Amino acid sequence: MENTPSGIKLFGSWASSYTHRVQLALKLKGLDFEYVEEDLTNKSPSLLLYNPIYNKVPVLLHLDRPIVESVIILQYIDETWTDRPIMPADPYERALTRLWCYFADDKLGPAVGAVFGSAGEDQKAAVAQVHENLKLVETELREGAFKGRRFFGGDRIGILDIVLGCGSYWLAVFDEVMEVKLVDPEAFPLFHAWLREFEEQEEVKEIIPAIDRLLEYARGIRQMMLGLKDASTPTTAAAATTTTTTTTTTDNGSVVVESAGSV
């Protein structure tokens, strides 16, 4: 391993919001790290070695010890480098934060991914599901534990802000590529205001990819996903048994698509 002052190496993908979560946490902590860009269609031996269970990014390597899954990595970072905490100190708030992080990856993320990979009536149903999930977040901001806060973490960005906020740039991409409005400022005023505030932070701006690059990437991926979904010929079906296209090359719910031979 090529040493950095803090002994940190991050394996990631430029378009992965889950990679961006880890990058943002490291930046907020003021930590130097070595970044390794992974080609998800031709994964490196190092990635397969350090994440043999899921073979996904991100992977954080600290002192030659791998940590995988973005939310687990975020908690590891906060527990290892305790200055400028991103987790709340109160046990109940920590539990609540973990619950909403789980919600983001278990409910909201997959719902957004379903919008990206669908069309017509299926897409309308997927959009409705996203809005139902956002209503829950909006209610929590209006009436719940996060009421009146600048960020979910308080006056500064916390772990839930990182989990919900990283990937927000895809919403603008959706507007452009699919003409779908997922976050209406009139329907979700508190969430919309929080998102704008989050995106204005300098550390966040530093990790968001250029919109033109995202648009080009998203158009190609969407065409691929819709093409595979609509394909129904025997030849295509046979090919599908040896080639798999998924949205799970990063943590669950990612819109980053992998196409690789089956194992």
Side-chain angles (χ1 to χ4, degrees), residues 110-213:
V112 173
V115 174
F116 190 76
S118 61
E121 293 302 315
D122 288 343
Q123 187 178 83
K124 289 181 181 179
V127 170
Q129 186 60 58
V130 171
H131 288 166
E132 287 301 312
N133 288 324
L134 287 178
K135 285 178 184 177
L136 296 174
V137 180
E138 184 74 14
T139 299
E140 194 68 16
L141 286 169
R142 185 176 62 249
E143 304 170 4
F146 307 116
K147 179 181 178 181
R149 295 187 181 184
R150 180 187 181 195
F151 298 109
F152 288 96
D155 292 332
R156 298 185 301 184
I157 290 175
I159 189 171
L160 183 54
D161 298 282
I162 295 172
V163 169
L164 282 172
C166 287
S168 62
Y169 44 79
W170 285 110
L171 300 176
V173 173
F174 283 9
D175 287 352
E176 180 74 20
V177 174
M178 298 179 295
E179 300 182 353
V180 172
K181 192 76 171 177
L182 292 181
V183 183
D184 187 330
E186 294 185 3
F188 310 108
L190 297 177
F191 183 81
H192 183 268
W194 162 80
L195 190 55
R196 297 288 79 79
E197 180 78 6
F198 175 82
E199 291 176 335
E200 283 301 310
Q201 304 309 300
E202 287 303 318
E203 297 91 345
V204 176
K205 290 179 179 179
E206 290 174 4
I207 66 168
I208 296 178
I211 188 67
D212 290 346
R213 189 180 184 194

Side-chain angles (χ1 to χ4, degrees), residues 212-224:
D212 290 346
R213 189 180 184 194
L214 285 172
L215 285 170
E216 180 182 3
Y217 176 82
R219 289 188 179 106
I221 294 301
R222 178 163 165 79
Q223 289 175 1
M224 180 193 302

Side-chain angles (χ1 to χ4, degrees), residues 88-96 98:
D90 179 75
Y92 175 73
E93 286 203 23
R94 291 173 76 90
L96 191 64
R98 289 189 177 105

